[in-house]
Structures are given as structure tokens and as C-alpha cells.
Amino acid sequence: MLPYTVNFKVSARTLTGALNAHNKAAVDWGWQGLIAYGCHSLVVVIDSNTAQTLQVLEKHKADIVKVKWARENYHHNIGSPYCLRLASADINGKIIVWDVAAGVAQCEIQEHVKPIQDVQWLWNQDASRDLLLAIHPPNYIVLWNADTGTKLWKKSYADNILSFSFDPFDPSHLTLLTSEGIVFISDFSPSKPPSGPGKKVYISSPHSSPAHNKLAAATGAKKALNKVKILITQEKPSAEFVALNDCLQLAYLPSKRNHMLLLYPREILILDLEVNQTVGVIAIERTGVPFLQVIPCSQRDGLFCLHENGCITLRVRRSYNSICTSSNDEPGGSTSHRLVNDLDPVQELTYDLRSQCDAIRVTKTVRPFSMVCCPVNENAAALVVSDGRVMIWELKSAVCSRNARNSSGVSPLYSPVSFCGIPGGVLQNKLPDLSLDNMIGQSAIAGEEHPKGSILQEVHLKFLLTGLLSGLPSPQFAIRMCPPLTTKNIKMYQPLLAVGTSNGSVLVYHLTSGLLHKELSVHSCEVKGIEWTSLTSFLSFAASTPNNMGLVRNELQLVDLPTGRSTAFRGDRGNDESPIEMIKVSHLKQYLAVVFKDKPLELWDIRTCTLLREMSKSFPAITALEWSPSHNLKSLRKKQLATREAMARQTVVSDAELGAVESSVISLLQEAESKSELSQNISAREHFVFTDNDGQVYHLTVEGNSVKDSARIPPDGSMGSITCIAWKGDTLVLGDMDGNLNFWDLKGRVSRGIPTHRSWVRKIRFAPGKGNQKLIAMYNDGAEVWDTKEVQMVSSLRSGRNVTFRILDVDWCTSDKVILASDDGCIRVLEMSMKSTCFRMDEQELIEPVWCPYLLVPRAALALKAFLLHQPWNGRYSLDISHIDYPENEEIKTLLQEQLHALSNDIKKLLLDPEFTLLQRCLLVSRLYGDESELHFWTVAAHYLHSLSQAKAGDTVVTKEGAPKDRLNNPLDICYDVLCENAYFQKFQLERVNLQEVKRSTYDHTRKCTDQLLLLGQTDRAVQLLLETSADNQHYYCDSLKACLVTTVTSSGPSQSTIKLVATNMIANGKLAEGVQLLCLIDKAADACRYLQTYGEWNRAAWLAKVRLNSEECADVLKRWVDHLCSPQVNQKSKALLVLLSLGCFVSVAETLHSMRYFDRAALFVEACLKYGAFEVSEDTEKLITAIYADYARSLKSLGFKQGAVHFASKAGAAGRDLLNELGSPKEELTEG
């Protein structure tokens, strides 16, 4: 544990509590690694690793309904740095875009005053990262520029829009979930609103389908699934057929193209959008817990599901062949093998439950609200609960032993062959829990066997709770700050705030970090008030509900904070008596006054817990009481010391005894001095004043156990019934029922009454600090800060006018900051102006270090990235930045070092491992930075560079069988779609068309399947389907002829030329799909691709090229697509780069990166290519390489990273010579440059 250092700086902050029902869906986990969620009208930002609150954003006047982090899908440099941008939307239709680190609103957007239904950042544009799409009820979608707040376009639809989802594979496809069904938009573009009303389809409710019948066994579920006939129809269903669209959620699957899921309370339906047909159902048995939400993964075909009991489950798609292969060698395995084959000749789309976390206790007020999943690694989910808790569950993988295998009957999961993109040896340092795709391998595609004897390890997944953040309980609150900081207590002072809650517990918060210090269960009912008796102990009181006599059980507890021990201060007293109204501790913490509603005052000695005096029945009823700050402790001390010295002097003894006596006297004196004000042997005289019902002020003196009545002051006629008193120095302030404040100057003997017109003064309290005469007054409708010296109001806060919440309690935190507890369940520490402000995140004191390079200044974040990527420095792998020539100021270096310390030990171990290759390092750092565009680039680059080196090794060495096999055993994930290897892509498409064929239920579906089969070259099966058309179908004749045509197509010249002519005529007359089909029949797929590209069907052309053409022809088609993507009107160069990588055009990639000025990525890519021998060495490539290195060296120089600049300038040959000379010159010139 670090030595505790006193930090007097308590920054303004907000402690948040339970959430509002509107906040249910307002949560998002950003690529930046932070989670944001709405709490009433506040936005709370927490770190997902350490579960610490980093920021609370306050500007909205209404409850938050949506929050969304900006995506990081762009190249980061000084001009486009790593920054924390967040959009939040409220129920009044206002959207605010925040710079979260600085805590300032960059832009405010308002269109209507109804709650925003959904917002999403557009992520696919290279040109602009500021576009935000929002649904403004009831039926508008509006595209905003979130940087300037300007509206780019607005479009209305016929139905009320509930939410929307973008196709992750094609950003021009947008799907709206409306109150009636689904609207597909296929021409979404940032530059203009979508043209028509979109393609509208209706969802027939699954309740009308047999899928809702009992699904006990897997077989039952399968049969039910085959009976789900049509789910999506063009016609509006009849009223009795569908009462209400109870679809909870709609989302595209990011793991494979053209698949969508619909979530219902008891089932998840997977749709294949090419045939508009359900191809999979995940149903819950009758006894199961219904779904609330589902998040599909992209790295693996898996689903994170949230259930109504707060349990999160992970389901992963079953891979069929592995059941057959793995269960053969098991006892009883043959039955499972047979079962799969008998029941289902083709695979079923099944998702197996792989892991689940613990449920929460659901009550009326506590229920799960929403779940978010880590977008970078997809191996953690956070659950937001209505009571303000955030629970972070991480997936952990464990290798299972042979005997534990397959007990559940589901197919085994294997760990992947590669780590960080590259297959490693058995001994290589791995961190399998880094991300989902490093935990479990891909689901194998049908017909592919796992190679026997390969080093596949079977793994199990389990959820582990790694973070928990709990909010304040629901109001009421009674708050009290601990005694203020003084020169005497500076060594052990901690700024602690005690919060009494409605359930009887007292929470103690540490206000420098904002974290809960202790939670103590003290009372059995609502805490009414707290008073501190020292820095480490406090008194709190509570009263049970009154019986019919108006009597209660009073609880007054003295709590010792270090031990948590709570003792009944009044012993056995407290049953069946009048309720305690208030407790007041004297200035020296010696005495306690306990005021009851209908019972005389009690005075107690705090040090001995003894009753000094219970006043007589005739004692007046007390409406307000306050202890005086004046006392006679100092004069008593002097007297006591003087008498002791005198006693010591009077003692005359022989020399022999003198030493002993002197030492005892000295120790006595030392003891007297060292005892604090609360010392047992000094009872100082203290005073208090109180007022009765008539407003008369009484002044009493307490000394030891005697109480003397010393003075009475008649009531002030201008004041009503006095409700509270505050006393500091020579100023006494009284507040009354009518909102009047009366300021008494005791020295000058003058009083001044000020009517505030704010109704009942509930509480007044002076600020701490010598000579500080500020005072806070609390009313029914807010609070005011007054300067009693000048008798002037400093600031005011009124509920309903400048804030939406009502104030429940107030106190001073420090001499210039106030604490307000409010009915929205939050406690705010504010400046004296009481203006709600957000703080800068770098000013925060955090208990645990947080890894978040986004909090660094842009130059430092980029320099830190270069430092991590270009290990080793000076021949050593090191995470100590002080060894590097980086002439920045020490403060920035310290911040960088803190960031490096915040990395986990596992990550540090990888970064320091010399075996960890450059490509793996690039992938790891892109994950650490949450850099979406880098992550995709390096994943594809690592895959194709590695397979190139494998192919080379296969050509030269005798391991020829190993290379191609490795490429198929470890293909690029299918979520990369057309970037995958052709053979793998073809297999996937065939598997998909098999599934479509099994699931078809109408003629329409059959026709779509036939078309797909013809394009894939599966003519025999296509003919079978064509011949199925019934005679009464209007297409019967056409389909029969088509079947004849397909079977008789020969390669004879005349028939080919006729078909080609017909096909081109068809295409010219607008029948593109039919023409393409004919061209594919006569093996002219290359021409078909060209036509598709001419008519703008770029994605379809790429698909067709992958499934039908040989690699050279396919490469030609894809290169034309690259040129199209790079054209200025499309401007999707980052996608073009990925396509070039998949084609193995590594030099073109380097050139494109250089032309886009992505110097850092270009330099790293060139280094990797040289390592893998991916460049043919020639004069041109040499030139390109030196130009890239020189430009990168310059950009490192602009970051102030001198050593990195020198390193790359020296590699750049002639191009870097001038730069080396500059860098060699003195530092002054460098800073100017």
C-alpha cells in the first residue's frame, strides 16, 4: 500500500445513485475502453478495467435516454488525435456532444421536444467523422453535423420509428424498426436523404407460430423451427393474426453478411435477408427466464444475451463436423454422431449456451436495465442495474481436461491456432483472454475436418465478475462532512462525508476519490441526522414510525469508523418515547444536546457516554439550538499547567529521590500537553443558545456536570417561529418559518433582519476556516450562500428554475465548496456559486491507475504509441520511458510512465517478449488504444503476410502439405466477408445456400434459392428445385423451360453466342440479375462481374468474383473495385486498403498508405513486409521505402520524439540525411521546428 498522503484538493464532483426508468437504454461501451451511462439528467463515465468513475457530465435539464461514443474508425494523428467524444440525448429532444476529458459540451442540437429514440455515429466515411444520425419522434430521421450542430437533411416515414440498425457490411443499408414492422432502406447516404419510403415488410408475431409450443428437447425445437413458415411478409397481417409487434430489438449480425436477428421475450430469430427467411431460432423453454436484450459479436458467430433476472449468457454457433469427429472416440459418442446425421442431413443454425453469469436479486425497485459489450475484444459485458450498480463480467477461458469433455452434449470449443493474428508455437507467450477470437477458434464450416493430431486444445468459458460500481441508495439522505482540516490534524486528515440513508445504513465517502470508504449498517430505520464527534467517530440518530400514542423507538448510536463498532449511546433508553428532533455536538466535542419533540432536553458527556442532566418538565420546548464557538479551554490549560508546576516546585526531597520525582512530573506535564481538547481531566466551560416557541432566546452554560441559565433575550417582533440558529465568532444568525434571516453582530450589538421570501429556513450552517464568514441556508425550494460580514447573498439555487432537482440536505465540504444532497438520488460537491460544472478528467485523484491514452495530450498519446511499437530501444525491451531521448517536460514523461504502469502484468509481459513479432505488437497496441481502423488493417495484414511466408516456406522446404492446409485451418474470420480466401468464402456460401434450401417455405423462397445455386454453379440442385414448381403456378412454364435450358447448355459455339446475346439484351433492358445468371450458365462470370460493376453493383460483383472466378480473374475484378473505392466521390480508401491486402498487393498498399499520409502505419507495414520478404527489391520500392521512413521520421520529430525520429531518419538513407543533421543540432532549434 502506498503511504497515504494528505490531499486537500477536493474537486467538484457528483456522487450518483439509482437510475430513472428513462435511463434504461442509455448506456454505451466505447472503443476507448470507457463505459458511459445516463443517471437522471447526468452522464456518468466509468473506466471498464478498474470500475472507477472518471467523469460526471451535467448540462441536460431532462432525463437521458441515449448515450453513444464516437467510433474510432479513422487514422489518428496530430490533426485527428485520440479524443473522447460522446453524444447524449434526453427526453426533451436535446442532443449534446461532449469533449469528455475536458468536461465541456462541444455542440448542442435540438429539433423537437420529444424524447430521442435512437442515435448513431456514422463510422464508414473517410471524409467526415462528425456525422450523427438521430430518430426524432414520432417518425423523423435527421442527419446532423455533430461538430457544428447543423442539420444536413431530414426525412419522415409513415410509421413511428422505434430504433434503427446499420448494416455493418454495407453502410448504404439502414433498417428501421417501426411500430408496425421493418423498413429496409438501401440508398442511405450522408449527402442526401434516402429517396422513397423504403421497402416495408411486416413481422408476423412468433406467438402465432408453433415455435412457442413447448420446446423441451432439442428435437422438438428443430421440428418447431421447420414449421416457422413465413416470418416476413409484404402484406399487412390481419388484425387477429398479430395484435402487437412485441419485437424488442432488431440488429444485423456483424459476424456474417446479410443476416439479422429479431429479439422477442422468449426467442431470438435469425433471418437471412437474401431470402427473407428465418434460418435459426433460439428459444427458451417454458420455465426459462425471458430475454431482455441481445448483442451479436463480430469476431465469432456468438450472441451475448441478457435475461430478465440479470443473468448474461453467451451463446456460440455450433459447428457440426466437430461433433462427428470428436465424439467418435468417446464412449457413447457414436449415438450423438448418428443423431445428428439421422435427424438432419443438412446443418441447422444452432447456438449453444457456452457460459452464463450469476443472476441478481430482482425486486420491485431493483431490476436489470441494459447490457453493453466491449467492442474491441468482445470478451466482457457490463450490466447496468436500476439501483445504479454497474457490474462488469469478463469471460475467462480454461483448458479442459480429457475426462470433463462433452458432458453437456454440445460440441467442444477449441482454442484458436493463432494468437494476435499469427499462429505461434506451443511455447509462445500467449494471453488467450485478450479477446474473443483469441479465446475460441472459428466454428468450422461443414465438410471441413479438424486435422488429426493438430495442437487444438479444448476450452471452457466462464464469466468472472471483475468490476462492481455501486451507486448511492435511494433518497432520503442526511449528510454531514467530517470536522474541517486544521494545522493540528493535517497529518491524519481525510475528507470524509457521512451519508445517512433511508434504510438505516450510513455510507462514508472519501471525497478526493469519490469512492465509498465504508458502508455501515447502523440503524433499523431511516437515519435522521449525523454529527461527528472526532475525525474517526460520529453519532447518528433514527426514530421508528410512531405508534398511536405518537411514541417511537429512538436509536442514537456512536460509531467508531476504523473498527466499524457501533454502540448505543443512550444505553437502554429510547423505547416508547417522544422522537428525537435533533442532536447537537458542542464545539470542543465534549457535550451533546439531544432535543426531543415533546420531552425536555438531555445533555450528555460524549467522552464518558454519561447523562449530565435531563431538564425538568417545565423546561421550554426547543425549536432551534446551537453551541457557541467560545469556550475557556485555553485559560483552563494555563491554570492547570501552572498549578502542576507549582506542585512540582513545592515538593522538597533528598537528592536520591529527586531524579525519580522529576521524571514523573515531566511525564505528567507531557501527558497534560499531549492530551487533546477532549482530554478526560479538563472539562471546559461551553455555552449554547436555543429558542422556544415564542422566539425567546435562552443562553445556557455547561461546565462539568453543572448547567447554568445565564441570560434570556426577548423575541424579535419581525421574526416568526425560529427554526434554526448558526453561530460563528461574533456572528449569530437565526432563520424562521417565513424565510427571514436575522444577522446578529454580538460585538457591535446590532441585528439586521433580511426577508428572503423563500419560505421556511430548514437549515443554516457556517463554512469552516478561520475568519470565513460564509453561510449556507437551505429552504424548501433550494439554497443560498450568504456572506454574513457584508450581509449579502453570494449565490442562489432554486428548484424548478435553474435546476430540476429538489434539495434534501446541505453542508460545507471545504471553506469554498458546498455539498448538496438532492431528490434525484445524487450528492453534488459544488463551488460556492452552486453552478453545476463538470471537471477536467486529468485533475482527478484516482485510487487505481487507469490505462486510457485518450486522457493524454495528443502529442503524448501518439509518442507513447510509437514507444510501444518500436521496441526494442537501444537493444533492450523496456517499458521505462525515462531511458528514451524524448525531450518533453518532466510532467508529460511522468504521465506517460503512469499510463505504462497502468497496463496489466500480462500485457507488459507480452510487450517485453522478444519473440512477440512486430505484426502481433501492432495488433496488440491497436487493441490497447481501441483503434478500430488499425485493428482491422493489422488483422488482415497479419493474416495475408503470414500466409505469404507459409506459401514461400511451402515452395522451398519439403513441408508442402502443411502450407495450404494451414491456410484453410486458420482462415481469415468470415466477418471480413469478401476479404477472406476464395476457397473458404465459397465453402461458406455453399453452406449458407444449403440452409436456405432447407428453410424455404414458399415459391418465392425457392426461386431465390435457385438463383443463388445457379450463380454458385450448382446446376443439378438448381434443376431439381426448378422442377418442383407446381402446375398451377403461373411460373410453371418458365421454370420448366429454364430447367431444360440449364441441363442442355453445352459449350458449342452457336448456343453460347445466342445466350450471350440474350443476356446482354436483358441487361440493357433493365433485367440485370437475369442477364448475369445467363452469363454464369455459360461460364462467362467475368463478363457478368463487369456488367454488375458498370451498373454500380460493386458488392455483388465482388461476391460473384469470389465464388466463380479463378484467382487472376477475381483479382482483376477486385482491383477495379479498389479504383472505384479510391475515387473522390466514394472516398473509402481505408476499405480499398483491406481489399489490396487480401489480394497480396503489398507494394500498392504501402504506396496508398504513403499517399494518404498515414506515415506511421506505412513505416510499420514496410518493416513487416521486409521481415516477411513480401517486397520484390527494386529501385522503385527502394525509393518508396526511404520516402516513407523519412516522412515518418519527420512526423516523430513533430511529436518531440527525438530518438524515434533519429532511428527512422537513419534508415531513410539519402532522404533522411538532412533530417539527421537537424536532429543532431541543439535542442532550441528542435523546439522551434
Side-chain angles (χ1 to χ4, degrees):
M1 183 73 192
L2 292 164
Y4 189 82
T5 52
V6 177
N7 186 339
F8 315 121
K9 188 173 184 321
V10 176
S11 56
R13 71 166 61 252
T14 305
L15 306 176
T16 54
L19 312 183
N20 181 303
H22 289 131
N23 304 137
K24 187 169 173 143
V27 58
D28 193 30
W29 190 325
W31 277 82
Q32 304 85 344
L34 306 180
I35 299 170
Y37 64 95
C39 173
H40 293 266
S41 61
L42 307 170
V43 181
V44 186
V45 177
I46 63 171
D47 172 46
S48 58
N49 281 325
T50 59
Q52 295 178 98
T53 304
L54 303 183
Q55 176 69 281
V56 179
L57 302 165
E58 185 162 5
K59 194 163 187 163
H60 284 279
K61 292 280 187 283
D63 293 335
I64 308 279
V65 286
K66 283 281 174 205
V67 290
K68 274 285 184 297
W69 288 101
R71 296 278 287 261
E72 293 299 316
N73 197 15
Y74 60 92
H75 177 251
H76 297 76
N77 54 23
I78 280 290
S80 320
Y82 287 99
C83 63
L84 295 174
R85 268 207 311 182
L86 177 74
S88 57
D90 66 25
I91 52 170
N92 287 351
K94 174 166 265 191
I95 299 173
I96 297 182
V97 178
W98 300 91
D99 173 351
V100 177
V104 294
Q106 289 179 325
C107 162
E108 294 184 34
I109 293 168
Q110 180 98 42
E111 175 74 2
H112 297 285
V113 288
K114 287 188 176 164
I116 303 285
Q117 286 283 4
D118 207 349
V119 286
Q120 195 79 55
W121 293 86
L122 296 201
W123 43 270
N124 62 301
Q125 275 295 95
D126 282 354
S128 172
R129 297 182 301 280
D130 303 317
L131 305 181
L132 190 67
L133 189 70
I135 299 177
H136 295 267
N139 57 352
Y140 292 103
I141 60 171
V142 184
L143 185 67
W144 298 95
N145 180 331
D147 196 32
T148 57
T150 47
K151 182 164 42 170
L152 300 178
W153 53 254
K154 177 176 175 179
K155 164 101 179 153
S156 67
Y157 286 87
D159 300 334
N160 292 358
I161 308 170
L162 306 175
S163 68
F164 62 76
S165 178
F166 271 107
D167 183 345
F169 296 95
D170 189 348
S172 65
H173 287 183
L174 173 70
T175 305
L176 310 177
L177 178 65
T178 68
S179 49
E180 295 229 316
I182 303 176
V183 175
F184 291 103
I185 298 165
S186 56
D187 60 343
F188 180 85
S189 131
S191 50
K192 61 181 192 300
S195 49
K199 180 183 160 201
K200 187 168 173 183
V201 296
Y202 296 95
I203 316 171
S204 52
S205 164
H207 291 289
S208 55
S209 74
H212 228 65
N213 302 346
K214 195 174 178 208
L215 297 167
T219 54
K222 274 184 186 155
K223 283 175 186 158
L225 172 59
N226 290 329
K227 286 179 193 156
V228 176
K229 292 295 181 204
I230 315 164
L231 187 88
I232 290 192
T233 54
Q234 302 288 326
E235 301 84 48
K236 191 166 184 174
S238 57
E240 69 275 8
F241 184 54
V242 55
L244 185 76
N245 169 18
D246 55 355
C247 176
L248 301 176
Q249 189 190 338
L250 157 156
Y252 279 94
L253 292 191
S255 55
K256 48 190 178 187
R257 188 188 268 273
N258 274 337
H259 284 71
M260 176 179 275
L261 66 80
L262 295 177
L263 173 72
Y264 290 85
R266 302 201 75 84
E267 56 236 308
I268 300 171
L269 305 177
I270 311 284
L271 314 181
D272 187 322
L273 295 179
E274 269 180 15
V275 288
N276 275 3
Q277 178 62 17
T278 312
V279 289
V281 170
I282 301 161
I284 295 182
E285 296 88 9
R286 286 236 166 113
T287 52
V289 185
F291 293 115
L292 265 186
Q293 191 193 348
V294 61
I295 298 176
C297 308
S298 67
Q299 300 172 12
R300 291 285 173 266
D301 194 353
L303 308 169
F304 280 97
C305 309
L306 172 63
H307 299 260
E308 283 179 4
N309 61 354
C311 174
I312 296 172
T313 56
L314 173 69
R315 292 163 191 270
V316 182
R317 190 190 156 191
R318 182 182 301 175
S319 137
Y320 275 80
N321 54 316
S322 53
I323 292 188
C324 306
T325 54
S326 68
S327 48
N328 286 345
D329 49 0
E330 302 282 316
S334 54
T335 55
S336 72
H337 188 174
R338 195 178 62 245
L339 193 113
V340 171
N341 283 349
D342 287 359
L343 257 181
D344 215 349
V346 289
Q347 344 66 300
E348 176 63 84
L349 197 60
T350 315
Y351 287 81
D352 291 319
L353 178 64
R354 292 298 185 178
S355 178
Q356 66 184 66
C357 73
D358 301 334
I360 60 171
R361 240 181 88 215
V362 178
T363 65
K364 265 185 189 164
T365 52
V366 179
R367 55 190 194 283
F369 260 9
S370 208
M371 160 187 72
V372 274
C373 171
C374 169
V376 187
N377 300 322
E378 293 187 332
N379 61 352
L383 171 66
V384 178
V385 188
S386 59
D387 61 4
R389 271 180 299 166
V390 180
M391 307 169 82
I392 297 167
W393 292 94
E394 267 186 49
L395 267 183
K396 301 287 177 193
S397 63
V399 176
C400 25
S401 54
R402 284 282 297 175
N403 50 8
R405 279 180 49 190
N406 239 8
S407 53
S408 58
V410 294
S411 57
L413 284 179
Y414 293 110
S415 63
V417 182
S418 59
F419 172 63
C420 265
I422 293 191
V426 188
L427 300 170
Q428 194 198 357
N429 251 337
K430 281 190 184 179
L431 175 55
D433 295 339
L434 178 67
S435 65
L436 188 63
D437 54 1
N438 283 305
M439 276 185 194
I440 51 174
Q442 299 149 335
S443 316
I445 283 183
E448 240 183 89
E449 297 291 316
H450 278 303
K452 292 274 180 280
S454 65
I455 48 157
L456 289 178
Q457 288 181 310
E458 196 183 321
V459 288
H460 274 184
L461 301 178
K462 61 175 189 289
F463 276 112
L464 209 63
L465 184 68
T466 57
L468 174 65
L469 191 82
S470 48
L472 287 161
S474 52
Q476 294 280 336
F477 296 132
I479 60 172
R480 196 70 172 105
M481 189 69 189
C482 70
L485 178 76
T486 62
T487 47
K488 287 179 186 157
N489 64 23
I490 194 163
K491 289 278 192 292
M492 64 287 220
Y493 184 78
Q494 296 189 42
L496 299 177
L497 171 73
V499 181
T501 66
S502 52
N503 63 4
S505 59
V506 176
L507 310 176
V508 182
Y509 279 89
H510 198 297
L511 287 188
T512 355
S513 63
L515 292 177
L516 184 62
H517 176 65
K518 278 207 169 142
E519 179 170 357
L520 305 159
S521 188
V522 182
H523 298 283
S524 60
C525 43
E526 185 185 314
V527 181
K528 297 283 191 214
I530 299 173
E531 290 290 333
W532 290 78
T533 56
S534 72
L535 280 177
T536 57
S537 59
F538 60 81
L539 283 158
S540 62
F541 75 93
S544 63
T545 46
N547 59 18
N548 49 10
M549 311 266 294
L551 300 178
V552 300
R553 184 185 73 257
N554 281 317
E555 298 177 6
L556 177 61
Q557 298 290 117
L558 177 63
V559 179
D560 179 51
L561 203 53
T563 60
R565 189 164 163 227
S566 167
T567 43
F569 186 77
R570 297 173 68 227
D572 301 333
R573 291 162 174 259
N575 287 329
D576 289 339
E577 60 180 7
S578 175
I580 297 178
E581 289 270 281
M582 65 174 123
I583 58 172
K584 292 279 182 179
V585 173
S586 71
H587 195 70
L588 293 178
K589 318 282 188 228
Q590 297 185 107
Y591 310 116
L592 169 75
V594 183
V595 179
F596 298 86
K597 191 176 180 185
D598 299 313
K599 188 183 158 193
L601 167 81
E602 287 180 3
L603 280 173
W604 289 76
D605 187 321
I606 293 176
R607 299 159 301 178
T608 57
C609 293
T610 50
L611 178 64
L612 295 177
R613 182 86 175 266
E614 187 173 359
M615 299 306 179
S616 65
K617 290 263 167 61
S618 59
F619 198 77
I622 296 175
T623 59
L625 182 145
E626 178 68 308
W627 287 91
S628 156
S630 62
H631 49 78
N632 66 345
L633 183 71
K634 279 185 179 164
S635 57
L636 273 180
R637 278 261 171 88
K638 280 179 189 163
K639 272 185 203 165
Q640 196 181 33
L641 285 175
T643 51
R644 286 193 170 182
E645 281 169 13
M647 278 167 66
R649 274 195 225 99
Q650 283 165 12
T651 317
V652 181
V653 284
S654 67
D655 285 358
E657 292 168 37
L658 189 65
V661 170
E662 261 185 1
S663 65
S664 68
V665 168
I666 287 166
S667 66
L668 260 175
L669 292 176
Q670 282 171 337
E671 195 185 335
E673 281 173 4
S674 67
K675 286 216 167 162
S676 65
E677 291 115 84
L678 303 188
S679 62
Q680 303 290 333
N681 48 5
I682 301 180
S683 269
R685 185 170 64 239
E686 296 203 68
H687 325 260
F688 66 91
V689 292
F690 70 88
T691 54
D692 63 11
N693 289 328
D694 306 326
Q696 183 159 262
V697 181
Y698 297 77
H699 182 207
L700 275 79
T701 309
V702 186
E703 185 166 11
N705 52 4
S706 70
V707 180
K708 293 178 191 149
D709 187 352
S710 55
R712 294 183 187 190
I713 302 156
D716 183 331
S718 65
M719 297 284 281
S721 177
I722 306 291
T723 53
C724 45
I725 310 174
W727 189 345
K728 184 170 182 181
D730 295 321
T731 311
L732 185 79
V733 183
L734 300 102
D736 72 2
M737 295 284 287
D738 310 323
N740 300 314
L741 289 177
N742 211 335
F743 297 85
W744 292 10
D745 180 354
L746 300 177
K747 214 178 197 175
R749 299 196 163 210
V750 287
S751 78
R752 245 182 101 177
I754 306 272
T756 63
H757 309 297
R758 293 277 298 254
S759 78
W760 185 9
V761 184
R762 303 290 296 263
K763 183 177 277 185
I764 47 181
R765 205 164 258 168
F766 273 103
K770 204 171 180 184
N772 184 356
Q773 294 291 311
K774 301 280 190 303
L775 167 128
I776 188 164
M778 174 182 146
Y779 309 96
N780 275 340
D781 65 346
E784 289 175 348
V785 175
W786 284 76
D787 183 347
T788 58
K789 222 181 255 171
E790 310 292 330
V791 193
Q792 269 181 347
M793 190 170 73
V794 178
S795 60
S796 163
L797 184 101
R798 210 181 266 256
S799 301
R801 189 174 293 176
N802 39 6
V803 291
T804 48
F805 49 81
R806 205 167 54 78
I807 290 179
L808 303 175
D809 202 356
V810 297
D811 200 355
W812 288 91
C813 167
T814 55
S815 56
D816 62 342
K817 286 193 176 66
V818 297
I819 309 174
L820 309 177
S822 53
D823 67 346
D824 61 356
C826 299
I827 292 178
R828 293 168 171 81
V829 178
L830 301 173
E831 301 290 338
M832 221 171 342
S833 64
M834 295 199 287
K835 293 266 188 298
S836 53
T837 50
C838 314
F839 41 83
R840 286 193 61 83
M841 276 164 86
D842 47 14
E843 288 173 3
Q844 268 240 77
E845 285 297 320
L846 294 170
I847 302 290
E848 282 183 79
V850 167
W851 164 262
C852 185
Y854 290 79
L855 297 180
L856 298 167
V857 292
R859 289 178 58 176
L862 292 161
L864 178 62
K865 191 171 161 192
F867 171 72
L868 291 173
L869 286 170
H870 303 302
Q871 298 278 356
W873 295 99
N874 306 334
R876 349 183 341 211
Y877 287 84
S878 154
L879 291 181
D880 185 352
I881 206 151
S882 56
H883 293 168
I884 306 297
D885 186 2
Y886 176 47
E888 284 289 325
N889 63 20
E890 280 309 305
E891 197 181 327
I892 285 190
K893 269 195 165 170
T894 317
L895 287 171
L896 292 184
Q897 202 53 59
E898 276 174 16
Q899 283 292 320
L900 290 165
H901 285 319
L903 287 168
S904 74
N905 289 341
D906 292 334
I907 300 273
K908 286 180 185 166
K909 191 173 162 191
L910 284 176
L911 289 167
L912 293 174
D913 179 9
E915 298 290 301
F916 199 55
T917 65
L918 176 67
L919 282 170
Q920 288 176 308
R921 193 176 289 280
C922 290
L923 261 172
L924 179 65
V925 170
S926 63
R927 280 191 193 282
L928 290 176
Y929 271 71
D931 191 325
E932 200 174 346
S933 97
E934 300 250 294
L935 184 61
H936 295 321
F937 178 85
W938 289 116
T939 303
V940 180
H943 179 80
Y944 282 105
L945 280 171
H946 180 74
S947 48
L948 172 87
S949 71
Q950 290 286 316
K952 282 193 172 178
D955 292 345
T956 51
V957 196
V958 194
T959 59
K960 278 209 168 150
E961 304 100 272
K965 209 180 216 181
D966 180 61
R967 281 186 69 160
L968 275 186
N969 281 338
N970 190 33
L972 190 61
D973 296 336
I974 201 64
C975 63
Y976 285 101
D977 198 48
V978 290
L979 304 174
C980 297
E981 287 93 348
N982 291 7
Y984 183 62
F985 188 75
Q986 285 161 16
K987 279 191 171 170
F988 176 75
Q989 297 306 331
L990 282 170
E991 182 188 62
R992 184 175 166 189
V993 82
N994 284 350
L995 197 56
Q996 291 171 356
E997 200 183 324
V998 172
K999 295 287 167 273
R1000 66 205 162 86
S1001 54
T1002 63
Y1003 171 72
D1004 220 26
H1005 290 145
T1006 308
R1007 205 164 88 196
K1008 283 178 177 162
C1009 285
T1010 315
D1011 294 348
Q1012 287 291 79
L1013 287 167
L1014 288 172
L1015 292 178
L1016 286 164
Q1018 303 290 308
T1019 49
D1020 295 353
R1021 273 166 59 203
V1023 169
Q1024 277 176 350
L1025 294 191
L1026 285 167
L1027 295 176
E1028 274 181 22
T1029 312
S1030 63
D1032 50 0
N1033 189 312
Q1034 55 174 355
H1035 300 284
Y1036 173 62
Y1037 182 57
C1038 285
D1039 285 354
S1040 306
L1041 286 180
K1042 202 175 195 179
C1044 298
L1045 172 70
V1046 174
T1047 42
T1048 54
V1049 162
T1050 54
S1051 51
S1052 70
S1055 66
Q1056 283 231 348
S1057 51
T1058 308
I1059 293 174
K1060 192 169 179 184
L1061 180 68
V1062 172
T1064 45
N1065 283 338
M1066 276 183 158
I1067 291 170
N1069 289 304
K1071 290 197 178 299
L1072 181 63
E1074 291 85 343
V1076 165
Q1077 217 178 80
L1078 284 176
L1079 288 171
C1080 288
L1081 274 181
I1082 54 169
D1083 286 335
K1084 293 271 185 285
D1087 295 348
C1089 290
R1090 210 165 287 117
Y1091 281 118
L1092 283 168
Q1093 290 185 329
T1094 312
Y1095 285 89
E1097 295 281 340
W1098 295 95
N1099 286 314
R1100 200 87 189 114
W1103 180 88
L1104 189 57
K1106 297 286 279 190
V1107 295
R1108 282 302 289 270
L1109 300 180
N1110 61 34
S1111 49
E1112 288 79 27
E1113 287 179 319
C1114 176
D1116 287 344
V1117 174
L1118 293 180
K1119 279 175 184 162
R1120 282 202 298 278
W1121 188 30
V1122 166
D1123 296 339
H1124 168 71
L1125 289 170
C1126 289
S1127 63
Q1129 66 273 20
V1130 180
N1131 196 15
Q1132 286 190 23
K1133 287 187 179 167
S1134 40
K1135 188 169 183 179
L1137 281 171
L1138 300 181
V1139 179
L1140 284 170
L1141 282 173
S1142 73
L1143 295 172
C1145 307
F1146 300 125
V1147 179
S1148 307
V1149 172
E1151 283 169 352
T1152 313
L1153 284 170
H1154 189 231
S1155 69
M1156 291 164 81
R1157 304 184 67 77
Y1158 291 8
F1159 299 137
D1160 52 346
R1161 206 182 290 183
L1164 286 158
F1165 182 69
V1166 164
E1167 283 201 317
C1169 285
L1170 293 172
K1171 272 200 182 108
Y1172 279 97
F1175 280 174
E1176 297 295 322
V1177 183
S1178 70
E1179 206 176 303
D1180 292 344
T1181 51
E1182 208 44 56
K1183 223 184 217 167
L1184 174 68
I1185 292 168
T1186 53
I1188 287 174
Y1189 282 160
D1191 283 329
Y1192 184 43
R1194 268 184 214 99
S1195 72
L1196 285 176
K1197 179 189 162 205
S1198 70
L1199 296 179
F1201 196 175
K1202 192 173 172 186
Q1203 189 161 342
V1206 171
H1207 173 71
F1208 279 95
S1210 56
K1211 282 181 160 188
R1217 229 166 267 141
D1218 301 343
L1219 191 60
L1220 271 175
N1221 296 339
E1222 274 177 54
L1223 289 164
S1225 62
K1227 281 186 184 170
E1228 292 84 68
E1229 288 180 33
L1230 182 72
T1231 51
E1232 283 169 27

